[in-house]
Amino acid sequence: RKEVEQDPGPFNVPEGATVAFNCTYSNSASQSFFWYRQDCRKEPKLLMSVYSSGNEDGRFTAQLNRASQYISLLIRDSKLSDSATYLCVVNRRGNQFYFGTGTSLTVIP
Amino acid sequence: DAGVTQSPTHLIKTRGQQVTLRCSPKSGHDTVSWYQQALGQGPQFIFQYYEEEERQRGNFPDRFSGHQFPNYSSELNVNALLLGDSALYLCASSRAGPGGYTFGSGTRLTVV
């Protein structure tokens, strides 16, 4: 079983829509959780960390459910510039990070 | 404050050749991790260097080796290149403690 699993999409949504991505991780010893954004042919960039209490950064909200080993990302009022691949990332021990395959989002005018 | 820098940005090699990729970590970071990202896939962990030693290794063959220098910069070496080694190679730096990686812009390797 993969360390991190994501629905690859693609998700095609109109501008202004709300879209949610989900991710599950297999190892209950996972300690830290992140969402990264990757634009086409570019490197991944940290979007936000994910905490059990949930956290929000502008239009983005991340949630972690440790009991279900489930992470989510909600994007409200989608913008064209949100089009990218969103990578779910978990850190189990040391500094090794495990990446999902990414979820592709296209926001349509 | 310089981020993570990688060189070269693009590289074309012939099957069977050897290649060396280079990475300079972000200022203040002491740990360097290397990832391979094939088209349409998430990054796959190759190995991580800390204090000039390989601290962790992913599921990659011995053809993949690395090194970290006293200034924390790192090299990734791949011997006996295969067509399947064609990918984006990402270097990520970090420092001890919680927090995410900072990625370099990657080296796109094409093996022909």
Side-chain angles (χ1 to χ4, degrees), chain A residues 7-96:
Chain A
D7 179 351
F11 285 67
N12 299 312
V13 302
E15 267 187 293
T18 296
V19 62
F21 304 139
N22 303 317
C23 163
T24 58
Y25 59 95
S26 62
N27 196 304
S28 59
S30 297
Q31 298 172 330
S32 305
F33 309 88
F34 308 90
W35 283 100
Y36 275 73
R37 170 194 170 129
Q38 186 171 27
D39 293 292
C40 187
R41 303 183 75 82
K42 299 285 189 180
E43 75 274 21
K45 292 187 177 177
L46 179 63
L47 179 65
M48 57 197 306
S49 301
V50 188
Y51 305 111
S52 298
S53 55
N55 49 301
E56 187 173 308
D57 182 4
R59 298 180 293 107
F60 298 82
T61 301
Q63 293 277 354
L64 166 64
N65 184 321
R66 285 188 183 270
S68 302
Q69 296 181 198
Y70 172 95
I71 305 162
S72 65
L73 177 68
L74 183 76
I75 305 175
R76 292 181 300 278
D77 188 23
S78 299
K79 311 291 185 190
L80 296 178
S81 58
D82 294 334
S83 298
T85 295
Y86 291 83
L87 296 159
C88 176
V89 184
V90 306
N91 170 249
R92 190 168 76 219
R93 58 183 169 84
N95 260 337
Q96 183 175 349

Side-chain angles (χ1 to χ4, degrees), chain A residues 41, chain B residues 6-21 34-39 46 60 63-64 76-90 105-112:
Chain A
R41 303 183 75 82
Chain B
Q6 289 188 246
S7 62
T9 55
H10 295 82
L11 202 52
I12 300 175
K13 288 286 191 178
T14 303
R15 189 171 49 182
Q17 284 188 312
Q18 178 266 343
V19 67
T20 297
L21 311 182
W34 286 93
Y35 283 78
Q36 180 195 67
Q37 187 175 24
L39 199 61
I46 303 175
F60 278 80
R63 299 187 297 109
F64 290 77
L76 163 65
N77 301 292
V78 187
N79 294 323
L81 285 166
L82 304 173
L83 297 179
D85 294 332
S86 296
L88 178 67
Y89 287 84
L90 294 161
S105 55
T107 294
R108 190 163 298 280
L109 172 65
T110 302
V111 182
V112 297

